[in-house]
């Protein structure tokens, strides 16, 4: 039994008496209260983001976004790298070893965490603007192609109608015995096919619709969600087990998938390639981690697939930066998005990629120096995964860096116009990025008590503001729909923590109805109101 269960059980002992208002515990004077203890608030330390972790072509643009918005650089950096991985998708892969067929696809799952009001959504939207522009251009091109298809199909249909009518006339004359030697040319050419819309992203779709989009866009697709926890909770539902499996399959970018439906028939995808991007506030994601990994087995790996995950410290300083964007940095970065979006098999092969008879995707390998660095890093990772006593969830998270690091190296290589083998510089940037990301992963999996601490601080602020008065209940806290106090369980956990730390005293009273649940009220410690 944990401390919350013990506390709640203690409040219920002997509370079924018939008298309403029989107080179990109450303190009325300052002298009777123990000294409150500080609310633990230190999250595990994380490394600060450094611009030299990024490809050279992106760093000035990311710095400009973070400076103008006055937000952590982590936010636009995670967004941009995830978006670029989605654009590349199955156009090219990387074989991290020198001889084997082990291949990784550069689609990545990214997420970043920050308190309310820290401009998470504006940062994500700004860094996604080049992708949104590509999408708008693709929509315009599709409309033009649709018009051309409609005109071509009308002409084809007209030729077919004329040819059919002439063929009927010829058949009638033949049946009548007319000696007609005219010949009808029924070679109409190929029937025009409707154009396939090019898509880069989607926000909210069923997994069946997502599968259809991937059939039309086999390189892959980005699933963009502003509130990441809403997607995770949706996939946790029992009726979404198949959708969850589809997302899990799409993380690697290499696994085939076949849908068999009575109404739609069979739809086969050679390889499902999904990138995911989202953000979250600390309390919801920490609560999700706590529930998802509550069985101590690390879950099924859905959360662990978010390798590009950052939870930076909030910067206490702010400056008004009312200036236009850095045009040269923006143009340089946006050209990268456009160039990579136009990569096809011919362009990839021209850049030095190879493709064997059994390869479904062109690939590049590491240079000798880059391979040495990667091998040294992986040897250390495998040792830690096998010998360190780390939590199961964190272990599963770090194990997926086997894909993350090669994928980052490939993105670095292509963004900075690399040719042939991946350079040592591209690999070292990826390794440094993974070291930074590991500290943020440790913060995430070490912050399972953050929701109750956040709720406790929020309740304490309401007490000091005079918005809660002695004798209040958990229901009174929850019903106001205050920020950070909307979840009933988190409210109760916060109250329990404040009781444990002597900021509150809990008193329980029975009800008139025999066997009715007791009501718990709370009284504030005068010594904790300062």
């Amino acid at each position: 039994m944990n401390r919350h269960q013990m506390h709640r059980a203690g409040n219920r002992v002997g509370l079924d008496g018939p008298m309403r208002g029989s107080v179990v515990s109450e303190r009325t004077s300052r002298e009777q209260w123990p000294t409150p203890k500080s609310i633990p608030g230190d999250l595990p330390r994380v490394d600060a983001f450094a611009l030299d972790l990024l490809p050279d072509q992106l760093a000035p643009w990311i710095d400009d976004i973070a400076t103008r918005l006055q937000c952590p650089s982590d936010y636009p950096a995670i967004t941009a790298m995830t978006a670029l991985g989605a654009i590349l998708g199955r156009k090219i892969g990387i074989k991290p070893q020198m001889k084997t067929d082990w291949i990784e696809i550069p689609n990545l799952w990214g997420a970043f965490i920050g308190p309310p009001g820290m401009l998470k959504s504006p940062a994500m939207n700004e860094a996604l603007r080049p992708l949104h522009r590509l999408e708008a251009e693709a929509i315009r091109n599709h409309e033009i192609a649709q018009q051309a298809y409609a005109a071509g199909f009308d002409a084809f249909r007209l030729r077919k109608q004329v040819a059919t009518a002439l063929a009927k006339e010829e058949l009638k004359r033949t049946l009548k015995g007319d000696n007609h030697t005219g010949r009808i040319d029924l070679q109409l050419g190929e029937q025009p096919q409707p154009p396939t819309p090019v898509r880069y992203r989607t926000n909210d779709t069923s997994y069946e619709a997502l599968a259809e989009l991937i059939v039309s866009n086999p390189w892959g697709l980005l699933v963009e969600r502003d509130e990441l926890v809403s997607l995770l909770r949706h996939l946790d539902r029992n009726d979404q087990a198949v959708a969850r499996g589809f997302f899990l399959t799409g993380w690697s970018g290499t696994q085939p998938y076949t849908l068999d439906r009575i109404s739609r028939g069979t739809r086969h995808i050679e390889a499902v390639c999904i990138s995911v991007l989202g953000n979250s506030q600390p309390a919801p994601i920490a609560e999700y981690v706590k529930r998802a990994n509550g069985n101590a087995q690390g879950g099924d790996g859905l959360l662990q697939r978010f390798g590009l995950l950052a939870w930076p410290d909030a910067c206490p300083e702010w400056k008004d930066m009312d200036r236009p964007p850095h045009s040269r940095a923006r143009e340089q970065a946006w050209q990268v998005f456009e160039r990579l979006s136009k990569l096809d098999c011919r362009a990839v092969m021209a850049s030095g990629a190879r493709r064997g008879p059994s390869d479904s995707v062109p690939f590049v390998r590491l240079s000798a120096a880059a391979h040495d660095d990667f091998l040294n890093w992986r040897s250390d990772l495998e040792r830690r995964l096998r010998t360190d006593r780390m939590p199961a969830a964190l272990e599963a998270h770090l194990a997926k860096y086997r894909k993350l690091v090669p994928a980052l190296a490939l993105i670095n290589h292509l963004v900075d116009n690399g040719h042939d083998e991946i350079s040592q510089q591209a690999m070292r940037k990826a390794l440094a990025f993974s070291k930074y990301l590991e500290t943020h992963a440790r913060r995430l999996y070490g912050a399972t008590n953050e929701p109750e601490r956040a709720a406790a601080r929020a309740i304490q602020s309401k007490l000091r503001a005079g918005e809660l008065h002695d004798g209040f209940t958990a229901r009174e806290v929850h019903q106001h729909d205050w920020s950070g106090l909307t979840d009933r369980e988190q409210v109760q956990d916060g109250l329990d923590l404040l009781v444990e730390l002597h900021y509150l005293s809990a008193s329980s009273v029975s009800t008139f109805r025999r066997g009715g649940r007791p009501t718990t009220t709370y009284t504030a410690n005068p010594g904790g109101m300062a």
Side-chain angles (χ1 to χ4, degrees):
M1 182 179 293
N2 61 35
R3 58 182 175 82
H4 299 318
Q5 293 170 325
M6 293 174 63
H7 172 71
R8 292 170 185 170
N11 282 343
R12 296 189 179 99
V13 175
L15 298 179
D16 290 331
M19 295 185 62
R20 179 178 175 87
S22 56
V23 178
V24 173
S25 169
E26 185 174 0
R27 297 184 179 94
T28 57
S29 66
R30 183 182 295 267
E31 290 76 14
Q32 292 176 296
W33 286 88
T35 302
K37 301 177 183 178
S38 298
I39 298 176
D42 291 337
L43 291 167
R45 187 193 67 81
V46 294
D47 287 351
F49 186 81
L51 291 172
D52 58 9
L53 300 179
L54 294 169
D56 295 340
Q57 298 289 312
L58 289 187
W61 176 57
I62 296 299
D63 184 44
D64 180 57
I65 293 175
T67 301
R68 287 187 292 109
L69 292 181
Q70 290 290 282
C71 70
S73 300
D74 319 56
Y75 297 173
I78 294 292
T79 300
M81 294 297 282
T82 306
L84 287 167
I87 287 176
L88 289 169
R90 287 180 52 79
K91 294 177 180 177
I92 187 171
I94 175 174
K95 291 189 176 181
Q97 293 180 314
M98 301 299 281
K99 299 177 181 179
T100 70
D101 283 337
W102 169 27
I103 189 170
E104 295 294 352
I105 305 300
N107 64 305
L108 295 171
W109 290 19
F112 51 91
I113 302 161
M118 289 305 295
L119 301 171
K120 298 185 297 297
S121 296
M124 189 166 82
N125 290 335
E126 184 68 21
L128 284 176
R129 285 187 65 187
L131 185 66
H132 294 165
R133 185 178 71 163
L134 290 173
E135 185 175 53
E137 181 181 351
I139 292 173
R140 289 193 298 270
N141 290 339
H142 181 66
E143 291 173 350
I144 295 172
Q146 280 280 35
Q147 295 171 2
Y149 160 74
F153 184 78
D154 287 344
F156 174 85
R157 184 172 56 183
L158 181 60
R159 291 197 304 272
K160 185 175 181 180
Q161 290 172 349
V162 171
T164 302
L166 292 174
K168 288 180 179 179
E169 278 300 315
E170 178 66 17
L171 180 60
K172 288 179 182 178
R173 292 174 180 177
T174 301
L175 292 175
K176 288 180 179 180
D178 294 344
N179 192 15
H180 184 67
T181 58
R183 302 178 63 183
I184 306 300
D185 183 8
L186 296 178
Q187 298 298 319
L188 305 176
E190 294 185 3
Q191 179 176 328
Q193 297 299 315
T196 300
V198 175
R199 292 288 298 275
Y200 295 99
R201 52 174 283 283
T202 183
N203 293 106
D204 185 15
T205 180
S206 66
Y207 90 93
E208 294 96 340
L210 181 58
E212 291 293 332
L213 288 173
I214 293 175
V215 168
S216 302
N217 298 271
W219 309 126
L221 214 65
L222 172 67
V223 176
E224 175 195 336
R225 291 292 285 266
D226 192 46
E227 291 293 340
L228 178 63
V229 175
S230 67
L231 173 63
L232 298 176
R233 287 175 177 166
H234 174 75
L235 294 175
D236 282 348
R237 288 166 37 184
N238 291 334
D239 63 346
Q240 294 298 317
V242 179
R244 186 184 185 92
F246 186 74
F247 270 81
L248 292 172
T249 299
W251 171 77
S252 70
T254 60
Q255 300 300 312
Y257 199 94
T258 302
L259 295 93
D260 292 302
R261 295 290 184 270
I262 294 176
S263 59
R264 298 183 181 180
T266 298
R267 300 292 281 172
H268 179 72
I269 304 174
E270 181 182 359
V272 182
C273 186
I274 300 174
S275 302
V276 183
L277 175 66
N279 63 71
S280 175
Q281 296 180 19
I285 192 67
E287 180 64 24
Y288 180 84
V289 172
K290 182 178 181 180
R291 293 179 181 177
N293 301 322
N295 61 1
Q297 299 301 314
D300 63 358
L302 179 67
L303 186 63
Q304 284 78 9
R305 280 163 167 75
F306 286 88
L308 275 177
L309 184 143
W311 186 341
D313 295 320
C315 180
E317 299 179 357
W318 178 86
K319 295 180 181 178
D320 180 29
M321 299 299 294
D322 186 6
R323 63 169 176 78
H326 192 304
S327 58
R328 183 177 178 183
R330 170 186 279 188
E331 182 180 357
Q332 178 176 270
W334 286 28
Q335 285 176 353
V336 168
F337 278 79
E338 185 172 2
R339 171 168 56 84
L340 297 187
S341 73
K342 288 178 167 53
L343 278 182
D344 55 18
C345 187
R346 180 181 299 178
V348 166
M349 299 299 287
S351 70
R354 290 176 280 172
R355 188 172 188 173
S358 61
D359 294 313
S360 60
V361 177
F363 67 90
V364 291
R365 292 196 188 269
L366 301 171
S367 67
H371 179 263
D372 288 344
D373 287 343
F374 175 73
L375 183 58
N376 290 335
W377 168 83
R378 189 183 174 200
S379 299
D380 179 67
L381 174 69
E382 299 293 347
R383 177 192 58 77
R384 291 194 293 141
L385 293 175
R386 287 161 171 75
T387 61
D388 283 4
R389 294 182 178 180
M390 64 180 72
L394 177 62
E395 180 180 320
H397 189 100
L398 297 184
K400 290 175 172 51
Y401 281 18
R402 297 177 182 123
K403 169 187 169 77
L404 174 69
V405 166
L408 286 173
L410 177 57
I411 294 172
N412 293 338
H413 171 76
L414 295 172
V415 169
D416 284 342
N417 289 296
H419 289 270
D420 300 323
E421 297 174 327
I422 292 179
S423 67
Q424 185 178 38
Q425 181 185 16
M427 174 54 69
R428 287 187 171 178
K429 283 179 178 287
L431 294 175
F433 210 144
S434 73
K435 181 181 178 182
Y436 149 87
L437 290 168
E438 181 175 338
T439 66
H440 290 255
R442 290 182 178 276
R443 168 171 284 188
L444 176 69
Y445 296 107
T448 53
N449 291 327
E450 179 60 21
E452 67 184 55
R453 293 197 295 260
R457 296 188 200 100
I459 294 169
Q460 194 176 40
S461 69
K462 298 302 179 184
L463 285 166
R464 289 172 176 169
E467 297 184 61
L468 290 172
H469 305 282
D470 286 350
F472 71 91
T473 64
R475 182 175 181 275
E476 290 178 48
V477 177
H478 178 265
Q479 69 182 5
H480 285 91
D481 202 29
W482 286 321
S483 176
L485 297 173
T486 57
D487 184 277
R488 295 178 186 276
E489 186 172 341
Q490 288 182 22
V491 166
Q492 190 59 61
D493 287 344
L495 290 168
D496 290 347
L497 180 60
L498 290 174
V499 170
E500 180 180 331
L501 298 176
H502 308 305
Y503 286 95
L504 297 176
S505 173
S507 303
S508 298
V509 297
S510 63
T511 62
F512 282 120
R513 188 174 302 171
R514 183 177 180 80
R517 294 183 62 184
T519 299
T520 302
T521 62
Y522 297 89
T523 303
N525 181 348
M529 299 296 290

